[in-house]
């Protein structure tokens, strides 16, 4: 199993440090852009999207994550505001652990602290690769950069094991490409064996 960009701490450990289950409904906002980071969040069930909006109100989706994945944790270590929103895509069950208790957990469990460092480092690595890819004029390079970044948040390194939870329009928004270019390029990548398209679902 490869190192992934999201922490997955054993729930019993989170509970022992004061973690609590919180239930959210579809479309509920967990936190908003501009809020202070005060909790560690880990998904038990459901899916959430991390997004933001530009001046014209156009949505930019940064990622979609689900069961046994964490989010917002990088902001725990800096006294900054969230730069994106976390919104439920379905009814969602999340373990919330207050920031101070999470820091205590890491201090008392150095192996978890090391894993956190590895996850954050890999997240920065894939983010840098994605940003580098976005500067390319080759649409395949742009799409591969985005797909590799998104896949880094999920377990499993096998080809075509990652189902992309984004529409063609959302992929276009993320890569700065036209929707028509995204559709044409995805078909070309499928012919090259880089991905599969099954019932319009992209498998990378």
């Amino acid at each position: 199993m490869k190192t992934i960009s999201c922490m997955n701490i054993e729930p019993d450990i989170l509970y022992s440090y004061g973690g609590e289950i919180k239930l959210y409904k579809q479309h509920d906002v967990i936190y908003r852009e501009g809020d202070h980071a005060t909790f560690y969040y880990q998904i038990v069930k459901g899916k959430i999207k991390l997004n933001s909006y530009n001046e014209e109100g156009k949505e930019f989706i940064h990622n979609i994550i689900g069961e046994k994945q964490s989010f917002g944790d990088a902001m725990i270590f800096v006294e900054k505001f969230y730069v994106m929103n976390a919104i439920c895509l379905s009814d969602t069950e999340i373990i919330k652990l207050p920031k101070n208790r999470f820091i205590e957990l890491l201090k008392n469990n150095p192996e978890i602290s090391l894993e956190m460092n590895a996850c954050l480092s890999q997240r920065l690595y894939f983010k840098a690769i994605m940003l580098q890819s976005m500067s390319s004029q080759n649409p395949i390079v742009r799409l591969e950069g985005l797909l590799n970044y998104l896949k880094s948040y999920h377990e499993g390194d096998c080809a075509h094991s990652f189902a992309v939870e984004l529409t063609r329009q959302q992929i276009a928004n993320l890569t700065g490409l036209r929707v028509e270019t995204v559709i044409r390029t995805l078909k070309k990548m499928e012919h090259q064996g880089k991905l599969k398209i099954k019932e319009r679902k992209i498998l990378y």
Side-chain angles (χ1 to χ4, degrees), residues 90-105:
S90 63
D91 290 352
T92 305
E93 184 177 326
I94 292 174
I95 301 176
K96 293 176 60 176
L97 180 63
K99 175 179 177 178
N100 63 322
R101 301 305 304 275
F102 180 67
I103 298 298
E104 181 182 350
L105 183 158

Side-chain angles (χ1 to χ4, degrees), residues 75-88:
M75 301 304 295
I76 288 178
F77 302 100
V78 292
E79 293 298 325
K80 302 290 184 181
F81 301 105
Y82 286 119
V83 295
M84 60 189 75
N85 311 296
I87 302 173
C88 295

Side-chain angles (χ1 to χ4, degrees), residues 25-70:
K25 295 292 185 181
Q26 185 179 13
H27 306 307
D28 279 356
V29 177
I30 300 167
Y31 58 73
R32 298 181 185 277
E33 181 179 353
D35 288 349
H36 279 291
T38 54
F39 290 93
Y40 168 83
Y41 298 94
Q42 186 166 297
I43 302 172
V44 178
K45 295 179 182 178
K47 288 183 179 179
I48 68 109
K49 68 177 176 180
L50 302 174
N51 76 344
S52 57
Y53 298 90
N54 65 13
E55 294 83 359
E56 290 77 37
K58 188 175 182 180
E59 182 182 30
F60 184 94
I61 295 179
H62 299 265
N63 211 338
I64 294 176
I65 57 178
E67 184 177 336
K68 295 183 179 180
Q69 294 185 298
S70 59

Side-chain angles (χ1 to χ4, degrees), residues 18-178:
E20 296 182 345
I21 288 286
K22 175 75 173 179
L23 303 178
Y24 295 88
K25 295 292 185 181
Q26 185 179 13
H27 306 307
D28 279 356
V29 177
I30 300 167
Y31 58 73
R32 298 181 185 277
E33 181 179 353
D35 288 349
H36 279 291
T38 54
F39 290 93
Y40 168 83
Y41 298 94
Q42 186 166 297
I43 302 172
V44 178
K45 295 179 182 178
K47 288 183 179 179
I48 68 109
K49 68 177 176 180
L50 302 174
N51 76 344
S52 57
Y53 298 90
N54 65 13
E55 294 83 359
E56 290 77 37
K58 188 175 182 180
E59 182 182 30
F60 184 94
I61 295 179
H62 299 265
N63 211 338
I64 294 176
I65 57 178
E67 184 177 336
K68 295 183 179 180
Q69 294 185 298
S70 59
F71 60 96
D73 37 337
M75 301 304 295
I76 288 178
F77 302 100
V78 292
E79 293 298 325
K80 302 290 184 181
F81 301 105
Y82 286 119
V83 295
M84 60 189 75
N85 311 296
I87 302 173
C88 295
L89 292 174
S90 63
D91 290 352
T92 305
E93 184 177 326
I94 292 174
I95 301 176
K96 293 176 60 176
L97 180 63
K99 175 179 177 178
N100 63 322
R101 301 305 304 275
F102 180 67
I103 298 298
E104 181 182 350
L105 183 158
L106 294 181
K107 288 179 178 178
N108 295 337
N109 296 270
E111 71 285 355
I112 295 178
S113 182
L114 286 173
E115 185 180 352
M116 169 67 76
N117 289 338
C119 288
L120 293 177
S121 295
Q122 187 175 359
R123 192 179 303 176
L124 288 171
Y125 169 77
F126 276 102
K127 188 75 169 179
I129 294 296
M130 186 189 75
L131 291 174
Q132 187 178 42
S133 301
M134 292 303 107
S135 66
S136 173
Q137 296 302 311
N138 186 334
I140 289 181
V141 173
R142 289 196 187 190
L143 291 182
E144 283 184 325
L146 173 64
L147 295 177
N148 285 332
Y149 172 68
L150 296 176
K151 190 173 182 176
S152 76
Y153 280 77
H154 296 261
E155 294 185 14
D157 220 358
C158 300
H160 313 145
S161 63
F162 169 56
V164 180
E165 301 283 351
L166 295 173
T167 66
R168 273 55 170 180
Q169 182 62 63
Q170 290 166 343
I171 292 173
N173 292 345
L174 282 165
T175 56
L177 299 169
R178 296 176 50 144

Side-chain angles (χ1 to χ4, degrees), residues 187-199:
K187 289 180 179 178
K188 185 175 182 179
M189 292 173 69
E190 183 180 28
H191 291 152
Q192 294 176 345
K194 295 178 182 292
L195 53 81
K196 288 183 178 180
I197 300 176
K198 186 176 182 181
E199 298 178 352

